[in-house]
């Protein structure tokens, strides 16, 4: 999908940083190599990032993620759904 590491990071880093700054749940589903690139680029912010290796993600039950308190299905205090999944 991405030709170069820099192309992936140019899309993923701003997306993740925006969500982390807004204290929204952020899930990155990508290859193990891209997960490491993204974590390295985010530095200390990487601790707020949830990740899933795309080689295995589709094989797991989706509701496991939905039940997670940091999931894309998390309800905010106003009742709206907070979502930042990429």
């Amino acid at each position: 999908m991405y030709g170069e590491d820099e192309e992936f990071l140019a899309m993923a880093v701003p997306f993740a940083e925006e969500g982390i700054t807004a204290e929204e749940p952020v899930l990155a589903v990508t290859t193990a190599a891209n997960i490491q690139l993204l974590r390295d680029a985010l530095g200390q912010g990487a601790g707020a990032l949830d990740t899933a290796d795309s080689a295995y993600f589709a094989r797991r039950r989706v509701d496991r993620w939905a039940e997670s308190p940091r999931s894309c299905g998390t309800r905010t205090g106003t009742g709206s759904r907070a979502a930042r999944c990429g």
Side-chain angles (χ1 to χ4, degrees):
M1 182 174 208
Y2 304 100
E4 309 249 340
D5 293 347
E6 294 78 19
E7 188 178 351
F8 167 73
L9 291 172
M11 180 282 310
V13 170
F15 177 84
E17 286 178 334
E18 233 178 81
I20 291 167
T21 300
E23 297 182 1
E24 297 175 350
V26 181
L27 171 64
V29 179
T30 188
T31 64
N34 281 351
I35 288 170
Q36 190 59 53
L37 284 171
L38 183 55
R39 287 194 175 285
D40 290 346
L42 291 173
Q44 292 182 334
L49 178 70
D50 286 315
T51 61
D53 189 320
S54 57
Y56 304 104
F57 187 71
R59 296 179 189 175
R60 295 172 45 196
R61 292 183 40 179
V62 175
D63 58 352
R64 286 185 192 158
W65 173 248
E67 292 169 2
S68 167
R70 288 174 39 159
S71 76
C72 296
T74 301
R75 294 244 179 229
T76 65
T78 62
S80 63
R81 293 182 86 79
R84 182 166 292 273
C85 300

